[in-house]
Amino acid sequence: MWSSNIVIKVDGNKAAGVSYWFHYSNDNPERRGVFDGFGHYEDELVKANGKWLFTKRKIYNEARDEWAYKGGKNPAW
């Protein structure tokens, strides 16, 4: 799994983030690298005791129609 283009908006002790991901695997009889999917994450975070913690993560897989982003605005704001 590879994540990129990470954008985080901080508002006090809360934050919202968006990042894009893609996935390769070799889970096949030939053990060759195969591109499996791509999409983006939408995260919510909170700062507690000096540490940033994830409170929510939505995962959108754009390679699968049933998991693809269906909203109207750009997920990267």
Side-chain angles (χ1 to χ4, degrees), residues 21-73:
W21 62 269
F22 61 91
H23 184 261
Y24 281 88
S25 74
N26 64 348
D27 188 19
N28 57 63
E30 298 85 23
R31 302 299 290 171
R32 61 183 168 78
V34 177
F35 180 71
D36 285 337
F38 63 96
H40 74 277
Y41 299 124
E42 294 179 1
D43 300 322
E44 294 178 12
L45 302 95
V46 64
K47 192 172 187 179
N49 298 320
K51 296 179 182 180
W52 285 100
L53 305 172
F54 288 88
T55 57
K56 186 175 187 179
R57 170 167 271 184
K58 291 182 183 178
I59 303 171
Y60 295 92
N61 184 336
E62 303 300 341
R64 302 209 35 191
D65 187 54
E66 66 270 22
W67 295 348
Y69 180 69
K70 302 288 194 265
K73 72 175 199 170

